[in-house]
Amino acid sequence: MSEQPTPVSSAPDFNDPAVLAQLRARQRSRALFMAGILIALCVLFYVITIVKIGVWG
Amino acid sequence: MGNDKTMTEAVPQMNAQPAALAGQPGVIMPAHWRDFWALTKPGVIRLVVFTGLCGLLAAPGHIHPVIGFVAILCIAMGAGGAAALNQYHESDLDALMKRTANRPIPAGRMDREAALQFGLALSGFSVVIMGLAVNWLSAAILAFSIFYYAVIYTVWLKPNTPQNIVIGGGAGAFPPVIGWAAVTGDVTMLPILLFSIIFFWTPPHFWALALFVKMDYARVGIPMMPNVAGEKSTRHQVFGYSLVLFAITMAPYALGLTGATYGISAAVLTGIFVALAARVGFRVAGEGDTLKPEKQLFAYSIVYLFMVFTALVVDRAVVPVIGV
C-alpha cells in the first residue's frame, strides 16, 4: 500500500486525452472494486445463513 | 462511495461529455480505491482487530469460526468507518499538519462527501451485519464505539479539552469488549478490565507522541496536553498513568481471572513500560533534543499492547488446552 495515487489539486482538464484515460481507468478500478465487495458480501451472507440454519458446524 | 462530485456531477456516465467540465472549479478526479483504503487508517485497524480477536479468544464458551470471523470483520469495518468519518470532519486541520497532510482529502485526491458516505456506509453495514450474524449486544457496543470515536471524541472532545486523549481513549478500548460479547452475549469483569487496560494505556502512548509532534498540534490549535498544561506536567502525567496502567494490568491476575502465565508476563512487560515512562517523566528536554526516550516509549507502547493481549490469550485459551 506504499504507492500513493498522484495528488490532483486543481480541476482536471477533461479535454486532455491523458486525463480522460486516467479518469476512465479510475472509474474501471472502482467499478471492479465495488463488484468485488458486492460478490464478497453475497458469499458472506450465504455462508452466514448456512451456519445459522445449522447445516454446517 | 460512488457519490462524490466526480461521479454524479462531473461524469455521471461513461459516455458523458467530460470535456464540457474542463476547468470547472471544485471538480476533482474520482478517488482511487487505494484512497478509500487509506481512509480507514489500516495501521490503527490492525491494533483494533488484534485486541478484538483477543477478547473473542479469551472469552469462555464457543463460537462458530465463521461467526467469529464475521465478528472480527465487523469490528474492522466499524473501525474503518469511524476513521473515515474522523477524516471527513478533520480534513481542514489535517491539511495543516505535516503528519496528516498527505491523507486523501487534504491532499486533494478525494472529495469530502465521498469520505462521508463511505464512512457512514461502512459503519452502518458493520453494525447491521454484526447484529444479524452475531448478536445485538455486540452490535450495540460496536455502534456506540463508532459514535464515541466519530462524534464524542472527534467533534466534541478533541478540539475542546486537553483531556481529549484521556476520555477519547475509550473509543479504542471497546474492541476486546465487543469480541467477548460476540462469544458470550454478556459483559463481565474481565472484558471491563481489558477495556481499562487500553483506556489507561492510551494517554502515555499518545502523549509520548504528542511530546515530539507538539508543534503540529499547536499550529492547528488542538489543545493537546503538552501545549496546554506544559511539557513538564505532561511528562509527570505520562509517568502517573503508567503506574495506574500497572495496577490495572495486574488486576486480572490479582482477581484470579487469569493464571500465572499472564501474571508474570504482564508484570514484566508493564514493568518495562513504567521504567520507560519514568525516563520520559523526569527528564528535561533541552533545545535540539532528539527526544529519543519519548520515541522509544511510543514505539514500545505499541509492542507492549500486542504482547500483553497475546499473553492473555495464551493464558486463557492455549494453556488450558495444552495443560501446562
Side-chain angles (χ1 to χ4, degrees), chain A residues 2-21:
Chain A
S2 57
E3 186 199 340
Q4 287 291 324
T6 313
V8 182
S9 53
S10 57
D13 179 4
F14 292 112
N15 287 313
D16 183 343
V19 173
L20 197 57

Side-chain angles (χ1 to χ4, degrees), chain B residues 90-112:
Chain B
E90 294 188 339
S91 57
D92 292 346
L93 297 179
D94 284 347
L96 303 173
M97 294 197 288
K98 197 167 63 179
R99 190 172 64 86
T100 54
N102 196 36
R103 285 178 175 173
I105 305 174
R109 299 193 306 268
M110 180 183 284
D111 184 76
R112 279 186 83 226

Side-chain angles (χ1 to χ4, degrees), chain B residues 60-150:
Chain B
H62 173 260
I63 187 169
H64 193 286
V66 171
I67 303 300
F69 169 78
V70 171
I72 297 302
L73 183 69
C74 288
I75 292 173
M77 284 169 62
L85 295 174
N86 166 274
Q87 291 190 49
Y88 160 78
H89 183 76
E90 294 188 339
S91 57
D92 292 346
L93 297 179
D94 284 347
L96 303 173
M97 294 197 288
K98 197 167 63 179
R99 190 172 64 86
T100 54
N102 196 36
R103 285 178 175 173
I105 305 174
R109 299 193 306 268
M110 180 183 284
D111 184 76
R112 279 186 83 226
E113 294 305 311
L116 174 65
Q117 289 155 11
F118 178 67
L120 289 174
L122 212 53
S123 303
F125 264 112
S126 67
V127 172
V128 171
I129 296 173
M130 181 74 100
L132 292 173
V134 185
N135 61 53
W136 287 103
L137 176 64
S138 48
I141 303 170
L142 178 63
F144 182 70
S145 69
I146 294 169
F147 176 78
Y148 196 109
Y149 183 70

Side-chain angles (χ1 to χ4, degrees), chain B:
Chain B
M1 161 168 189
N3 195 25
D4 52 330
K5 281 179 188 170
T6 52
M7 300 301 280
T8 56
E9 296 168 23
V11 192
Q13 296 167 15
M14 288 297 281
N15 296 325
Q17 295 300 314
L21 295 150
Q24 186 173 308
V27 176
I28 60 173
M29 291 287 278
H32 197 282
W33 68 265
R34 285 196 199 97
D35 289 320
F36 285 102
W37 173 254
L39 207 61
T40 63
K41 298 187 184 174
V44 176
I45 285 186
R46 235 171 282 157
L47 200 60
V48 164
V49 163
F50 179 75
T51 54
L53 181 64
C54 289
L56 187 139
L57 293 174
H62 173 260
I63 187 169
H64 193 286
V66 171
I67 303 300
F69 169 78
V70 171
I72 297 302
L73 183 69
C74 288
I75 292 173
M77 284 169 62
L85 295 174
N86 166 274
Q87 291 190 49
Y88 160 78
H89 183 76
E90 294 188 339
S91 57
D92 292 346
L93 297 179
D94 284 347
L96 303 173
M97 294 197 288
K98 197 167 63 179
R99 190 172 64 86
T100 54
N102 196 36
R103 285 178 175 173
I105 305 174
R109 299 193 306 268
M110 180 183 284
D111 184 76
R112 279 186 83 226
E113 294 305 311
L116 174 65
Q117 289 155 11
F118 178 67
L120 289 174
L122 212 53
S123 303
F125 264 112
S126 67
V127 172
V128 171
I129 296 173
M130 181 74 100
L132 292 173
V134 185
N135 61 53
W136 287 103
L137 176 64
S138 48
I141 303 170
L142 178 63
F144 182 70
S145 69
I146 294 169
F147 176 78
Y148 196 109
Y149 183 70
V151 179
I152 297 178
Y153 170 68
T154 301
V155 178
W156 182 46
L157 291 172
K158 193 170 177 181
N160 291 314
T161 167
Q163 296 297 326
N164 48 20
I165 288 306
V166 180
I167 311 167
F174 282 107
V177 184
I178 300 168
W180 181 286
V183 179
T184 63
D186 61 14
V187 176
T188 53
M189 180 57 85
L190 187 54
I192 292 171
L193 288 173
L194 299 182
F195 176 96
S196 305
I197 288 172
I198 301 177
F199 187 86
F200 286 103
W201 163 88
T202 306
H205 161 75
F206 205 87
W207 286 336
L209 170 73
L211 281 168
F212 58 86
V213 295
K214 64 179 177 181
M215 291 312 292
D216 255 2
Y217 287 117
R219 195 180 309 129
V220 296
I222 291 180
M224 281 299 164
M225 196 59 83
N227 306 322
V228 177
E231 199 175 306
K232 189 178 173 188
S233 168
T234 305
R235 289 176 180 280
H236 289 166
Q237 291 192 59
V238 164
F239 178 64
Y241 272 100
S242 74
L243 293 178
V244 178
L245 179 66
F246 188 88
I248 294 288
T249 310
M250 294 311 297
Y253 176 67
L255 294 172
L257 300 169
T258 60
T261 306
Y262 172 83
I264 294 167
S265 307
V268 172
L269 291 166
T270 317
I272 296 170
F273 192 104
V274 172
L276 290 173
R279 209 157 55 128
V280 170
F282 298 106
R283 73 189 287 268
V284 179
E287 200 63 33
D289 197 307
T290 57
L291 299 170
K292 197 175 169 191
E294 290 76 7
K295 290 174 183 170
Q296 280 179 340
L297 174 62
F298 178 72
Y300 177 74
S301 66
I302 298 168
V303 177
Y304 165 81
L305 202 64
F306 273 106
M307 292 183 77
V308 164
F309 275 79
T310 301
L312 176 86
V313 171
V314 170
D315 186 281
R316 299 257 319 171
V318 179
V319 170
V321 173
I322 61 175
V324 176

Side-chain angles (χ1 to χ4, degrees), chain A residues 3-49:
Chain A
E3 186 199 340
Q4 287 291 324
T6 313
V8 182
S9 53
S10 57
D13 179 4
F14 292 112
N15 287 313
D16 183 343
V19 173
L20 197 57
Q22 192 185 8
L23 172 73
R24 299 296 188 224
R26 288 193 181 196
Q27 284 178 327
R28 180 186 293 273
S29 149
R30 278 176 55 163
L32 289 172
F33 186 58
M34 282 299 294
I37 288 176
L38 288 173
I39 291 169
L41 277 176
C42 287
V43 172
L44 187 68
F45 284 133
Y46 178 76
V47 174
I48 289 170
T49 307

